[in-house]
Amino acid sequence: MMAAGQDLEPYWNVYRQHFRGHVIEWMEKYRVGNLSPEEAEANKKVEFGDMFETDPPRSPDLLACTSRPFNGEPRIELLTNDYITPNELFYTRNHLQVPVLDPDEYRLIISGKGIKKHKFTLEQLKKFPKHEVVTTLQCAGNRREDLHDKDHKIFISPHWVIGAMSTAKWGGVKLRDVLKECGLDVDAIALGEKLPPGGVKHIQAEGYDQDETGYTYGGSFPIEKAMDGLGEVILAYEMNGEELPRDHGYPVRLLIPGHVGARQVKWLHKLRLSDKPSSKSYQCKSYRGFAPNLTFEKDLAEWPPARLDQAPIIHEQPVTSFVCNPPQNAVLGAKNASSIELKGVAWSGGGRKIERVDVSVDGGKNWQAAELFKPIDQRYNHHWAWTQFTLVRKLRENEPATVCFILLTQFPPFLRLFHCPRMFKKS
C-alpha cells in the first residue's frame, strides 16, 4: 500500500522480514504489473525513511531473525551460564520500532468501565510500593521454524528457531495497586464478593511503539489475573536491578507472569478496562491456536476464517524445554571421553512447576532423570520462572545421537511432553 504503484524495492530494503522465497511466491498472484525501464530508473530516486534508525545497539550474541524490526534470540549455549539471563542476552521481540521516550514526559493513561480516568507520570508510579518478581518470558511464536515445511508454510515473522525464552528479575508496581487508586474494588473482586463493574472481562493494553501510519502495538489479558493478589502483574520499570533497557520497554512495560510474551506490552501507554478483548491484530489474529489442518494459503489468507471459535487466543503456554549444551548441530569430539554433560531449561506457563525431566540419549529406549536446578523459592502454582536441568550420561560405543526427554509438571494430571530434537553427533 505504501508503494502505491511504485517500485517495491525501497520498501523491501527496510522490511526484510518478509523477503523469503515462499512469501514472494505467494505475493506473485497480487502483482498488478511491471514498471517500464524508464519508470524503474526514475524510482531509484525514491527515498523511504527508515524508522528503525534510532534503535539501540544489540549484543552480537543475540542472533537476529529479523533486523527491521529487530528480533533476536540468544546463543542457547549461553543460557545455562546463569540462572538469571543477563539483560544483553535476553531475547528481543519487537513488532515495530523502538520508540524514543523522555521519562519526564512519560504518561500512563488508565480508563474504562467502572473507574475514573487517570494519568500517571513515571514519578507517580514509583511512589507505589515496589514489587519484584522473577519470571520467564517466552515469545508466543517460539520454535516457529519447526512448524515451517512444504505442507505448512509459515508466513508470519520472525521464524524463531528455539531460543525466544529468557528469565529476569523485574521490579515495579503491582497493577492491582494502581487500579485500586483508580477506584476499583480489587479486593472484593479478587475474593468473589463483587463482579468487575460494567461486565469488564479484559484489560486492554497499548504501547507507544507505532508504524508509519500511527498504528500501535497492543493486546489484552483477563482481568482476573490482575485482580489476584498473588498474580504479581506489575508495571515494570526495572530489569535485573537496572532501569529497563530500551529494547525491553523503557521506561515502563506490562509484566504478566505465567502468560505469553505477546500480551506483556512494552513502552506501555494505555490500559483500558473493557468487556471485550483487544481488537489489535496482534491479539485477534496473530497469536491463536489454529488446528493443524489449517494453512495460511487455504484457510487464513482471507479474514475471518471459518470456525474462528476453534482457534483460541493464546494466554498461558504449555510445558516446553530445550537442550542448551551441547547446542543444536554441535559436533563433539568423543575420543577417550566416557560421558557427556547435557544442560537445558524447562518451563511451563500458568505458574506450573517442573517436577522432573527425564532424558534419553538412545532415541527413547532408556531414560534417566536429570538433576534440577532452581535457586529461588516460588509458591505452589506460581512457578513463574524456569527450571534448569543437567544430566551427565555415560557414553557407549556407536550410541545414537538423538536426545529425547519427558517433562512432568506440578499441575495434575501430569502433563507429559515427548520431545526429540536433533542435538549432537559423536565423532
Side-chain angles (χ1 to χ4, degrees), residues 28-71:
E28 274 297 324
K29 62 184 178 181
Y30 295 102
R31 182 191 290 265
V32 296
N34 298 320
L35 298 179
S36 67
E38 295 77 18
E39 291 172 322
E41 185 63 29
N43 271 280
K44 289 181 179 180
K45 301 177 182 178
V46 173
E47 293 186 7
F48 177 56
D50 183 357
M51 69 176 183
F52 304 101
E53 61 186 4
T54 58
D55 276 13
R58 281 97 181 189
S59 167
D61 287 321
L62 275 185
L63 307 180
C65 301
T66 65
S67 58
R68 297 182 180 88
F70 182 82
N71 292 284

Side-chain angles (χ1 to χ4, degrees), residues 323 342 359-363 401-405 419-424:
V323 173
L342 301 174
V359 181
S360 170
V361 297
D362 58 8
T402 300
V403 178
C404 307
F405 45 95
H419 185 70
C420 297
R422 298 184 303 276
M423 281 284 123
F424 66 94

Side-chain angles (χ1 to χ4, degrees), residues 172-184:
V173 53
K174 285 187 176 182
L175 176 55
R176 74 189 311 270
D177 290 347
V178 179
L179 292 177
K180 186 175 182 178
E181 178 71 17
C182 295
L184 196 63

